[in-house]
Amino acid sequence: MASTIDIRRAGERFHTRAGWLESHHSFSFSRHWDPANTHFGLLLVSNDDVIAPGTGFETHPHRDMEIITWVLDGGLVHQDSEGNNGVIYPGLAQRMSAGAGILHSEKNDSWTLTGAPEHRDPVRLIQMWVVPDAAGIAPGYEQLDINEQLGQGGWTTLASGMAKHDSQRAIGIRQRHAALHVARLRPSETLDTVTAPFAHLYVARGELALEGSGLLHEGDAARIGAAEGQRITAGPEGAEVLLWEMNAAVELG
Protein backbone atom coordinates (compact mmCIF):
# COMPACT_ATOMS: atom_id res chain seq x y z
CA MET A 1 0.00 0.00 0.00
CA ALA A 2 1.36 3.41 -0.95
CA SER A 3 1.82 6.04 1.72
CA THR A 4 -0.70 8.82 2.13
CA ILE A 5 0.34 12.13 3.66
CA ASP A 6 -2.22 14.56 5.03
CA ILE A 7 -0.64 17.89 5.97
CA ARG A 8 -2.44 19.86 8.69
CA ARG A 9 -1.29 23.48 8.96
CA ALA A 10 -0.90 25.30 12.26
CA GLY A 11 -3.46 27.92 11.29
CA GLU A 12 -6.11 25.26 10.61
CA ARG A 13 -6.18 23.95 14.19
CA PHE A 14 -9.01 24.59 16.63
CA HIS A 15 -8.17 27.48 18.94
CA THR A 16 -9.10 28.14 22.57
CA ARG A 17 -8.28 31.46 24.23
CA ALA A 18 -9.28 31.77 27.89
CA GLY A 19 -7.19 34.67 29.18
CA TRP A 20 -4.88 32.41 31.20
CA LEU A 21 -4.70 29.78 28.44
CA GLU A 22 -3.83 29.83 24.75
CA SER A 23 -4.43 26.39 23.27
CA HIS A 24 -4.31 24.96 19.76
CA HIS A 25 -5.95 21.57 19.21
CA SER A 26 -4.96 19.22 16.39
CA PHE A 27 -8.12 17.15 16.93
CA SER A 28 -11.66 17.75 18.16
CA PHE A 29 -11.45 18.80 21.81
CA SER A 30 -13.85 20.22 24.40
CA ARG A 31 -16.32 22.57 22.69
CA HIS A 32 -14.53 22.19 19.35
CA TRP A 33 -16.11 19.34 17.42
CA ASP A 34 -15.59 18.05 13.91
CA PRO A 35 -16.75 14.45 13.34
CA ALA A 36 -14.20 14.16 10.54
CA ASN A 37 -11.31 15.11 12.83
CA THR A 38 -11.55 13.09 16.04
CA HIS A 39 -8.29 11.10 15.97
CA PHE A 40 -5.53 9.60 13.88
CA GLY A 41 -4.44 6.06 14.57
CA LEU A 42 -4.56 5.77 18.36
CA LEU A 43 -3.93 9.48 18.98
CA LEU A 44 -7.00 11.35 20.21
CA VAL A 45 -5.52 14.58 21.57
CA SER A 46 -2.54 16.72 20.63
CA ASN A 47 -2.83 20.12 22.28
CA ASP A 48 -0.21 22.86 22.08
CA ASP A 49 -0.82 24.92 25.24
CA VAL A 50 0.59 28.14 26.65
CA ILE A 51 -0.35 28.76 30.29
CA ALA A 52 0.09 32.10 32.03
CA PRO A 53 2.08 32.25 35.31
CA GLY A 54 0.16 31.61 38.49
CA THR A 55 -2.64 29.87 36.60
CA GLY A 56 -3.48 26.48 35.15
CA PHE A 57 -5.89 23.59 35.06
CA GLU A 58 -7.59 23.08 38.42
CA THR A 59 -8.16 19.56 39.74
CA HIS A 60 -10.19 17.54 37.25
CA PRO A 61 -10.82 13.86 36.48
CA HIS A 62 -9.62 11.51 33.75
CA ARG A 63 -10.33 7.86 33.04
CA ASP A 64 -8.97 5.19 30.67
CA MET A 65 -6.44 7.37 28.90
CA GLU A 66 -2.64 7.45 28.55
CA ILE A 67 -1.62 11.12 28.83
CA ILE A 68 1.87 12.24 27.83
CA THR A 69 3.05 15.79 28.53
CA TRP A 70 6.11 17.31 26.84
CA VAL A 71 7.16 20.77 28.08
CA LEU A 72 8.92 23.10 25.65
CA ASP A 73 9.37 26.20 27.85
CA GLY A 74 9.01 26.85 31.57
CA GLY A 75 7.90 24.50 34.32
CA LEU A 76 4.54 22.78 34.81
CA VAL A 77 3.49 21.58 38.27
CA HIS A 78 1.70 18.22 38.28
CA GLN A 79 -0.26 16.98 41.30
CA ASP A 80 -2.65 14.02 41.39
CA SER A 81 -4.86 11.98 43.66
CA GLU A 82 -2.33 9.13 43.72
CA GLY A 83 0.14 11.35 45.59
CA ASN A 84 2.39 12.17 42.64
CA ASN A 85 3.70 15.71 42.35
CA GLY A 86 6.58 17.51 40.73
CA VAL A 87 7.69 20.07 38.18
CA ILE A 88 7.81 18.99 34.52
CA TYR A 89 10.48 20.89 32.57
CA PRO A 90 11.95 20.72 29.05
CA GLY A 91 13.51 17.34 28.40
CA LEU A 92 11.54 15.54 31.13
CA ALA A 93 9.35 12.77 29.73
CA GLN A 94 6.13 12.38 31.73
CA ARG A 95 3.18 9.99 31.53
CA MET A 96 0.02 9.70 33.57
CA SER A 97 -2.15 6.61 33.19
CA ALA A 98 -5.69 7.61 34.14
CA GLY A 99 -6.85 4.00 34.25
CA ALA A 100 -9.82 3.34 36.53
CA GLY A 101 -9.90 7.03 37.46
CA ILE A 102 -7.58 9.79 38.65
CA LEU A 103 -7.78 13.46 39.63
CA HIS A 104 -4.99 15.85 38.77
CA SER A 105 -4.09 19.50 38.32
CA GLU A 106 -1.50 21.19 36.06
CA LYS A 107 -0.34 24.70 36.87
CA ASN A 108 2.32 27.23 36.00
CA ASP A 109 3.34 27.95 39.60
CA SER A 110 6.60 26.08 40.01
CA TRP A 111 7.70 28.31 42.88
CA THR A 112 5.09 26.67 45.10
CA LEU A 113 7.06 23.41 45.06
CA THR A 114 10.63 24.57 44.45
CA GLY A 115 10.71 27.61 46.73
CA ALA A 116 12.21 29.67 43.90
CA PRO A 117 11.12 33.30 43.45
CA GLU A 118 7.75 33.85 41.81
CA HIS A 119 8.17 34.46 38.08
CA ARG A 120 6.12 35.88 35.24
CA ASP A 121 7.09 33.40 32.54
CA PRO A 122 4.51 31.36 30.61
CA VAL A 123 4.86 27.61 30.22
CA ARG A 124 4.42 25.98 26.82
CA LEU A 125 3.68 22.29 26.51
CA ILE A 126 2.37 19.65 24.13
CA GLN A 127 -0.10 17.25 25.71
CA MET A 128 -1.04 14.06 23.88
CA TRP A 129 -3.62 11.39 24.70
CA VAL A 130 -3.75 7.83 23.38
CA VAL A 131 -6.27 5.16 24.30
CA PRO A 132 -4.92 2.31 26.46
CA ASP A 133 -5.12 -1.29 25.30
CA ALA A 134 -7.04 -2.27 28.46
CA ALA A 135 -9.73 -0.47 30.42
CA GLY A 136 -9.86 -0.02 34.16
CA ILE A 137 -6.16 -0.48 34.93
CA ALA A 138 -4.66 0.95 38.11
CA PRO A 139 -3.77 4.63 37.70
CA GLY A 140 -0.06 5.28 37.32
CA TYR A 141 2.62 7.91 36.81
CA GLU A 142 6.14 7.90 35.38
CA GLN A 143 8.74 10.52 34.51
CA LEU A 144 12.37 10.61 33.40
CA ASP A 145 14.85 13.28 32.31
CA ILE A 146 16.03 12.45 28.77
CA ASN A 147 18.06 15.57 27.98
CA GLU A 148 21.27 13.56 27.78
CA GLN A 149 19.81 11.18 25.18
CA LEU A 150 18.38 14.08 23.19
CA GLY A 151 21.78 15.74 23.11
CA GLN A 152 23.25 12.70 21.36
CA GLY A 153 21.16 13.38 18.26
CA GLY A 154 18.75 11.21 16.31
CA TRP A 155 15.45 9.88 17.60
CA THR A 156 14.86 9.28 21.29
CA THR A 157 11.97 6.98 22.21
CA LEU A 158 10.12 9.15 24.71
CA ALA A 159 7.32 6.70 25.53
CA SER A 160 6.31 3.29 24.24
CA GLY A 161 4.21 0.26 24.96
CA MET A 162 5.81 -1.75 22.13
CA ALA A 163 7.89 -4.75 23.13
CA LYS A 164 10.63 -3.77 20.67
CA HIS A 165 11.34 -0.62 22.70
CA ASP A 166 11.61 -2.30 26.11
CA SER A 167 15.36 -1.64 26.33
CA GLN A 168 15.38 1.85 24.84
CA ARG A 169 12.21 3.68 25.83
CA ALA A 170 12.29 6.47 28.39
CA ILE A 171 8.89 5.74 29.92
CA GLY A 172 6.18 3.14 29.34
CA ILE A 173 2.60 3.51 28.20
CA ARG A 174 -0.19 0.96 28.43
CA GLN A 175 -0.70 0.67 24.68
CA ARG A 176 1.23 -2.09 22.94
CA HIS A 177 0.59 -0.61 19.49
CA ALA A 178 2.00 2.89 20.05
CA ALA A 179 5.28 4.69 20.64
CA LEU A 180 6.28 8.35 20.79
CA HIS A 181 9.67 9.52 19.57
CA VAL A 182 11.26 12.97 19.87
CA ALA A 183 14.23 14.61 18.16
CA ARG A 184 16.02 17.92 18.39
CA LEU A 185 17.51 18.39 14.95
CA ARG A 186 20.44 20.64 14.26
CA PRO A 187 20.29 22.93 11.20
CA SER A 188 20.10 20.86 7.99
CA GLU A 189 20.21 17.57 9.93
CA THR A 190 18.26 14.70 8.33
CA LEU A 191 16.42 11.77 9.88
CA ASP A 192 14.13 9.04 8.60
CA THR A 193 10.71 8.64 10.15
CA VAL A 194 9.20 5.25 11.03
CA THR A 195 7.71 2.45 8.98
CA ALA A 196 4.24 1.89 10.43
CA PRO A 197 0.56 1.80 9.47
CA PHE A 198 0.10 5.21 11.10
CA ALA A 199 2.64 7.95 11.84
CA HIS A 200 1.87 11.40 13.22
CA LEU A 201 4.62 14.00 12.86
CA TYR A 202 4.33 17.30 14.77
CA VAL A 203 6.73 20.23 14.41
CA ALA A 204 7.03 21.65 17.92
CA ARG A 205 9.77 24.15 17.03
CA GLY A 206 11.45 25.44 13.91
CA GLU A 207 10.76 24.11 10.45
CA LEU A 208 11.63 21.09 8.37
CA ALA A 209 11.17 19.60 4.93
CA LEU A 210 9.21 16.35 4.74
CA GLU A 211 10.07 14.10 1.81
CA GLY A 212 7.33 14.34 -0.79
CA SER A 213 5.42 17.11 1.01
CA GLY A 214 7.60 20.20 1.18
CA LEU A 215 8.16 22.55 4.09
CA LEU A 216 6.49 22.20 7.49
CA HIS A 217 6.57 25.09 9.95
CA GLU A 218 6.11 25.22 13.72
CA GLY A 219 2.67 23.90 14.63
CA ASP A 220 2.24 22.00 11.37
CA ALA A 221 1.58 18.25 11.43
CA ALA A 222 1.65 15.38 8.96
CA ARG A 223 -0.68 12.40 9.28
CA ILE A 224 1.02 9.61 7.36
CA GLY A 225 -0.79 6.42 6.46
CA ALA A 226 1.33 3.38 5.59
CA ALA A 227 4.45 5.32 6.52
CA GLU A 228 7.61 4.19 4.75
CA GLY A 229 10.31 5.99 6.69
CA GLN A 230 9.99 9.31 4.90
CA ARG A 231 13.00 11.59 5.34
CA ILE A 232 12.87 14.89 7.21
CA THR A 233 15.44 17.68 6.94
CA ALA A 234 15.65 20.48 9.47
CA GLY A 235 15.60 24.11 8.39
CA PRO A 236 18.36 26.69 9.00
CA GLU A 237 17.41 27.14 12.68
CA GLY A 238 16.96 23.43 13.40
CA ALA A 239 13.75 21.83 14.65
CA GLU A 240 12.18 19.89 17.50
CA VAL A 241 9.74 17.23 16.37
CA LEU A 242 7.42 14.66 17.95
CA LEU A 243 6.66 11.46 16.06
CA TRP A 244 3.97 8.92 16.96
CA GLU A 245 4.44 5.39 15.62
CA MET A 246 1.18 3.41 15.67
CA ASN A 247 0.30 -0.07 14.48
CA ALA A 248 -3.46 0.20 15.05
CA ALA A 249 -6.30 2.70 15.02
CA VAL A 250 -9.06 3.32 17.51
CA GLU A 251 -12.66 2.87 16.50
CA LEU A 252 -14.85 5.46 18.14
CA GLY A 253 -18.49 4.55 18.46
Side-chain angles (χ1 to χ4, degrees):
M1 179 184 294
S3 294
T4 61
I5 302 178
D6 179 9
I7 302 299
R8 301 293 178 114
R9 298 296 179 185
E12 299 172 351
R13 295 172 296 178
F14 299 116
H15 183 206
T16 295
R17 179 179 291 142
W20 60 274
L21 171 69
E22 191 88 15
S23 184
H24 291 89
H25 317 290
S26 294
F27 302 97
S28 295
F29 189 80
S30 186
R31 63 181 176 85
H32 302 287
W33 176 251
D34 176 359
N37 185 26
T38 58
H39 67 287
F40 181 73
L42 295 163
L43 183 63
L44 272 68
V45 169
S46 180
N47 290 345
D48 193 328
D49 294 340
V50 177
I51 301 172
T55 70
F57 297 97
E58 298 292 344
T59 302
H60 58 281
H62 288 286
R63 186 181 180 90
D64 289 329
M65 199 64 63
E66 298 291 287
I67 300 174
I68 297 91
T69 301
W70 184 247
V71 170
L72 295 168
D73 296 300
L76 183 74
V77 173
H78 167 95
Q79 294 180 306
D80 66 44
S81 55
E82 295 293 303
N84 302 298
N85 64 77
V87 179
I88 312 167
Y89 52 82
L92 180 76
Q94 186 248 30
R95 177 266 302 160
M96 183 181 76
S97 295
I102 197 168
L103 300 170
H104 81 138
S105 64
E106 299 162 299
K107 294 185 177 181
N108 180 5
D109 59 357
S110 58
W111 58 87
T112 63
L113 285 186
T114 64
E118 183 174 343
H119 62 75
R120 303 305 301 167
D121 301 322
V123 59
R124 182 182 170 211
L125 61 116
I126 314 298
Q127 188 168 94
M128 297 151 284
W129 301 6
V130 294
V131 293
D133 53 28
I137 64 173
Y141 181 89
E142 190 177 4
Q143 66 178 49
L144 184 68
D145 188 310
I146 59 172
N147 278 295
E148 183 177 351
Q149 296 97 308
L150 285 170
Q152 296 171 2
W155 292 110
T156 295
T157 302
L158 191 162
S160 178
M162 295 182 175
K164 68 178 182 178
H165 297 138
D166 281 351
S167 64
Q168 56 184 292
R169 69 187 185 191
I171 55 177
I173 55 174
R174 185 61 183 266
Q175 176 45 264
R176 65 186 180 277
H177 297 299
L180 174 61
H181 312 282
V182 60
R184 292 174 179 165
L185 286 80
R186 295 178 292 273
S188 302
E189 182 180 355
T190 64
L191 286 176
D192 292 336
T193 61
V194 294
T195 300
F198 304 93
H200 186 273
L201 182 74
Y202 184 77
V203 183
R205 292 192 193 277
E207 63 181 30
L208 56 83
L210 172 62
E211 180 184 355
S213 297
L215 199 62
L216 301 182
H217 302 276
E218 184 171 311
D220 289 349
R223 304 177 186 186
I224 310 173
E228 298 175 338
Q230 283 82 357
R231 176 151 294 192
I232 58 174
T233 304
E237 303 299 322
E240 184 165 340
V241 61
L242 294 161
L243 175 66
W244 278 98
E245 173 186 359
M246 297 170 285
N247 291 333
V250 65
E251 294 184 8
L252 298 178

